[in-house]
Amino acid sequence: MKRIYIIWLMFPGLINSGILLNGQKKIFFDNKIPDETFHHSAAIENHRQTQKNIKTEVGENMEVSMQAETGYPAQFRGTNCCGVAPAGAHPPVSLLPDENMAWKTKVGEGVSSPCLWENKIFLTGFNTDENALLTYSISRESGAILWEEAVYPDTLETIHSVGSHAAATPTTDGKHVYVYFGSYGVVCYDFEGNLVWEKKLPVLKTRYGSCASPVILKNKLILNRFEVDNPVILALEPSTGETIWKTNLSVIPGLTEALQRSQSTPVLWNDQIILHRSLALCSVNIDDGKENWTIPLVSMGTSTPVIFDDVLYVNGYSNLGEARLYDKLPDFKSMVTKYDENQDSLMQFQEIPEDLAFFRRPDLDLPLKYDTSFSWNLMAPLYDISQDKALNEPEWKGMEQFWSKFYEEHGVVAIDLKKAGKTNESDFLWKENEYIAEVPSLLCTGSQVYMISNGGLVTCMNTETGEVIYREKLGAPGAYIASPLLANGHIYFVSYNGRITVVKQDDKLNVVSQCNLKEKVAASPVASENQLFVRTTETLYAFEK
């Protein structure tokens, strides 16, 4: 079961696409890949054909401001999820817990980011002892908890090992705060903690839980409700919670149901809501939810796009998107010659080298284990038709031929939204395909696009050409889940291990300061006025200049 779980974790669609059916192994040989397989290139080509039949209705050009009109980061990553602090924000650039940490407050476990309005911070958490989904209002000045409210789900959704049942960042319109829990639904409170309304929603069928945050776009509360067999975008009336419209998004041809997924927060351009989903970007009309267009993209639909001057930037990541992330299978004869220790002309599972990687995360700099590498010797049992704990040549070829179809190049892409969906030619202005971030979203400063990848590797690209200006390590290794923040000419990067690195916005890497909170951090930092807020798994920190 462990081996099946690992392949489900990597590619959950396989269990439904012909590899395991009714508990029996069924392998496809002679290049006879079944039509329903989620082969990237086939799905993308189907997308290009489908795209011709979708009419696009694009409104007049309207640049989305990079700064919040309110002056507060009132949703995930601030205005339109851009990751740029409001104008006038000047948080400290040297973060010293003993000197400029204003306060720290213990909260329930979670990975949501802080949402700010005036002197209040809104945050969610999870009480593991009581199975309570929590919403907090916290004083910006003192860190005191002003109020705490809880709802209790009937069922908890399945989440990732580094995820949480409190994953979505709250949003506010200055009157009410809106929180979303995948295990419960949407809850609306006033600023005193009184319940205004709630809308219970079914628990989604997802592998990793609901990570997309609610956002208020043009007086509508927008939710990404993406699940394996029913991908939906939902628009609610903020004052009542009533449904304005509900759009069932197109199912991507050639992609199995279990891979119809998205963890991205919706963003707005003109009258279009744009969503990053598995193998595509899609657009729906903000007024009625009508689907406008889709653009094929090799991706697992994790990060949230950023938009600047009518151009969308997004990092599409795939486990098999770069050659450095995997080892292609050698041919059977080469394997037998080199590794057949018992000379039986078969490849016993234990004879397949553990470091022959079906997939790896080479930048985590950790010993070879479950979260850094998946060996081909864990894949082999799925192809053992003869049930002898070894692969013969036809079985080996079946494994080799099946997976050879999945090596499609991922990357950071730039898309001119004024032309999106209107041409049959490539919609990418440029593409950068190396060292792509798995989870964190990008940061666009106007002239540069920044990306932080596992290992603490920063890539700075030219917004117009995609040319890599520099690619260097911060000196803060480990995994990166939090997205970067730009405030007052400085960029804040936070590793999952709790290391905060501040660099100057520049055409070369200039590290200003580093500190280590020594706690796990998956939430993205936010800044307002002279304060910086960093949420660890169980603590909210405020640094003050």
Side-chain angles (χ1 to χ4, degrees):
M1 285 301 296
K2 181 178 179 182
R3 291 189 176 98
I4 295 175
Y5 172 77
I6 289 175
I7 188 62
W8 182 287
L9 179 69
M10 290 292 303
F11 292 100
L14 290 182
I15 305 301
N16 297 327
S17 65
I19 290 196
L20 290 177
L21 295 177
N22 299 321
Q24 301 297 317
K25 295 181 177 66
K26 182 178 180 182
I27 312 300
F28 303 93
F29 298 112
D30 302 325
N31 290 317
K32 294 180 180 178
I33 307 299
D35 293 338
E36 69 271 24
T37 185
F38 59 98
H39 171 203
H40 281 171
S41 58
I44 287 177
E45 179 57 30
N46 283 335
H47 243 321
R48 295 197 187 282
Q49 296 301 319
T50 304
Q51 192 175 304
K52 298 177 182 178
N53 300 321
I54 299 178
K55 294 182 179 179
T56 306
E57 297 179 6
V58 181
E60 294 299 315
N61 180 40
M62 178 190 70
E63 181 178 348
V64 176
S65 171
M66 288 290 287
Q67 306 296 345
E69 295 177 2
T70 63
Y72 306 108
Q75 64 168 56
F76 175 66
R77 301 197 77 204
T79 300
N80 216 26
C81 306
C82 67
V84 177
H90 54 285
V93 296
S94 181
L95 306 177
L96 304 170
D98 295 332
E99 295 182 20
N100 58 7
M101 186 177 71
W103 50 261
K104 65 177 182 179
T105 299
K106 281 287 185 183
V107 292
E109 174 270 325
V111 299
S112 61
S113 301
C115 162
L116 275 64
W117 191 277
E118 294 181 343
N119 64 342
K120 292 182 173 63
I121 302 169
F122 300 105
L123 197 67
T124 61
F126 179 63
N127 184 319
T128 56
D129 294 330
E130 300 179 3
N131 273 5
L133 300 166
L134 308 173
T135 303
Y136 298 96
S137 174
I138 300 171
S139 167
R140 280 187 61 176
E141 295 179 358
S142 66
I145 295 178
L146 304 175
W147 53 261
E148 173 186 329
E149 295 295 330
V151 293
Y152 299 88
D154 296 326
T155 304
L156 290 173
E157 65 178 346
T158 303
I159 60 173
H160 195 280
S161 59
V162 298
S164 170
H165 295 292
T169 297
T171 189
T172 180
D173 54 9
K175 303 183 209 176
H176 301 122
V177 58
Y178 307 88
V179 294
Y180 172 57
F181 300 106
S183 299
Y184 192 85
V186 187
V187 187
C188 173
Y189 299 101
D190 66 19
F191 275 26
E192 302 305 316
N194 300 307
L195 179 66
V196 178
W197 56 262
E198 66 174 29
K199 188 179 187 71
K200 291 187 177 182
L201 297 168
V203 175
L204 294 178
K205 299 175 185 176
T206 65
R207 181 62 195 168
Y208 302 122
S210 303
C211 299
S213 299
V215 287
I216 297 175
L217 303 175
K218 291 195 173 181
N219 299 317
K220 296 177 179 66
L221 183 63
I222 305 298
L223 289 176
N224 172 8
R225 292 270 299 168
F226 219 93
E227 61 181 333
V228 298
D229 55 1
N230 188 28
V232 164
I233 296 182
L234 188 63
L236 304 179
E237 168 55 55
S239 61
T240 64
E242 294 181 2
T243 299
I244 299 173
W245 51 256
K246 175 182 176 182
T247 295
N248 294 83
L249 295 171
S250 302
V251 174
I252 296 177
L255 194 64
T256 57
E257 287 183 352
L259 281 179
Q260 302 284 350
R261 62 188 182 192
S262 169
Q263 303 288 7
S264 177
T265 297
V267 295
L268 180 70
W269 179 76
N270 290 353
D271 58 357
Q272 298 182 53
I273 297 170
I274 298 175
L275 184 68
H276 180 199
R277 59 180 290 183
S278 50
L279 290 190
L281 290 162
C282 64
S283 161
V284 302
N285 187 282
I286 184 71
D287 295 322
D288 57 15
K290 180 181 178 182
E291 196 165 358
N292 294 317
W293 48 256
T294 58
I295 295 175
L297 179 69
V298 175
S299 178
M300 299 173 79
T302 304
S303 64
T304 295
V306 295
I307 298 173
F308 184 81
D309 279 348
D310 298 319
V311 177
L312 178 144
Y313 305 90
V314 68
N315 47 309
Y317 175 89
S318 168
N319 288 328
L320 303 179
E322 294 179 47
R324 68 189 188 89
L325 300 179
Y326 58 83
D327 294 318
K328 281 191 175 181
L329 275 179
D331 65 80
F332 184 76
K333 290 183 180 178
S334 297
M335 289 293 294
V336 168
T337 300
K338 192 171 183 179
Y339 299 110
D340 184 17
E341 296 179 2
N342 65 359
Q343 312 250 319
D344 63 354
S345 298
L346 299 173
M347 284 309 304
Q348 303 289 330
F349 298 161
Q350 68 271 19
E351 291 175 339
I352 302 173
E354 188 176 5
D355 60 359
L356 185 66
F358 165 70
F359 162 71
R360 64 167 64 89
R361 292 183 173 94
D363 306 306
L364 291 187
D365 299 327
L366 296 175
L368 187 66
K369 60 180 183 179
Y370 173 76
D371 59 348
T372 58
S373 182
F374 299 89
S375 174
W376 278 107
N377 64 18
L378 298 175
M379 301 292 294
L382 299 176
Y383 295 83
D384 181 20
I385 294 178
S386 56
Q387 299 284 298
D388 57 359
K389 297 184 179 180
L391 297 188
N392 56 36
E393 187 168 7
E395 291 169 337
W396 185 272
K397 284 185 177 180
M399 181 166 66
E400 180 184 3
Q401 291 169 358
F402 184 85
W403 287 105
S404 67
K405 307 298 181 180
F406 291 85
Y407 301 112
E408 295 287 340
E409 181 183 272
H410 64 192
V412 175
V413 299
I415 297 172
D416 184 349
L417 291 174
K418 297 191 299 294
K419 299 179 181 178
K422 291 183 175 181
T423 175
N424 293 327
E425 301 175 1
S426 172
D427 288 291
F428 301 157
L429 296 174
W430 53 260
K431 181 177 181 179
E432 168 56 35
N433 55 23
E434 294 185 323
Y435 298 94
I436 304 305
E438 184 171 357
V439 179
S441 301
L442 303 175
L443 174 67
C444 180
T445 66
S447 57
Q448 304 121 335
V449 174
Y450 290 86
M451 174 174 64
I452 181 69
S453 304
N454 288 333
L457 185 70
V458 177
T459 302
C460 175
M461 295 158 280
N462 182 285
T463 53
E464 293 186 1
T465 65
E467 176 187 2
V468 174
I469 300 171
Y470 71 78
R471 178 179 282 132
E472 296 187 39
K473 288 192 173 183
L474 292 173
Y480 279 75
I481 297 175
S483 297
L485 167 72
L486 173 66
N488 197 28
H490 292 82
I491 301 172
Y492 296 75
F493 299 102
V494 187
S495 77
Y496 183 60
N497 293 326
R499 299 185 184 187
I500 306 174
T501 304
V502 184
V503 307
K504 276 193 173 182
Q505 177 193 341
D506 203 346
D507 285 346
K508 60 182 179 180
L509 182 62
N510 186 342
V511 176
V512 176
S513 70
Q514 287 186 326
C515 78
N516 192 350
L517 297 180
K518 298 180 181 179
E519 296 181 44
K520 300 301 183 186
V521 182
S524 299
V526 300
S528 181
E529 299 174 349
N530 66 334
Q531 291 178 305
L532 176 78
F533 301 95
V534 180
R535 190 256 177 86
T536 68
T537 304
E538 296 182 341
T539 307
L540 178 62
Y541 287 85
F543 293 90
E544 192 169 279
K545 190 172 182 178

